[in-house]
Amino acid sequence: MKDTRRVWLGITYTVPAKPSKARVYIWRKLKELGAEYYHGMAMVPESPKVLESVKKLTTRIRELGAEVSVLEIRFLDPRDEEKVVAQFKRQAANDFRELFLDFARLYEELGGPLDADEDQQRILRRRYGKVKSRDFFDVEKELDLSGGLTQLVDDIHLSAGDLYRQFIALFAEK
């Protein structure tokens, strides 16, 4: 019988206390990768793309003089895995909501669509790409980004649906 449990990568590392620059660098890179900490271990769902990124990061961590180990993990208790998945989903939802709010604020500042401001579009597109790359469980599809934004939408005189369509149009592949 084939094991259908999800494979995770667990990343553990030990960094010299000083300088703290290496510790901060590692933490930031793991967050950029989308890792979440569970019982003190950085974890990400395994995929070929993530595995390649983890291998590159592991090499860099060792160059910084730190010790690092990468483990393949499968949870024995599905409830433990559900907790980790929920943690990843919460983070992705927060990332998308923050990006959406920033988009809405910018829309309000410009008084309309972002067509006139290519630098801001480029910045938002880059941020969207990063958020999307860390959305391991397709949270974007589950989100109703208009929820909880009624006041913001009222302030910019645009319906939540219209604002959301502007948001999605900004990131549509061209």
Side-chain angles (χ1 to χ4, degrees), residues 97-128 149 152-153 155-158 163 166-167 170-171:
R97 285 187 186 104
E98 182 180 308
L99 180 60
F100 184 74
L101 286 169
D102 287 349
F103 171 80
R105 284 184 200 108
L106 181 60
Y107 188 99
E108 181 179 17
E109 287 172 19
L110 295 175
L114 302 182
D115 297 337
D117 196 333
E118 290 186 25
D119 288 340
Q120 288 296 337
Q121 277 191 9
R122 193 170 47 257
I123 290 167
L124 285 172
R125 282 175 201 245
R126 187 172 49 241
R127 280 186 55 204
Y128 174 77
L149 299 178
L152 177 66
V153 170
D155 290 346
I156 61 174
H157 309 291
L158 188 66
L163 182 60
Q166 281 283 338
F167 178 77
L170 178 64
F171 302 111

Side-chain angles (χ1 to χ4, degrees), residues 36-50:
E36 291 290 328
Y37 286 83
Y38 185 70
H39 294 298
M41 180 185 301
M43 296 183 65
V44 287
E46 193 274 336
S47 74
K49 182 179 177 183
V50 169

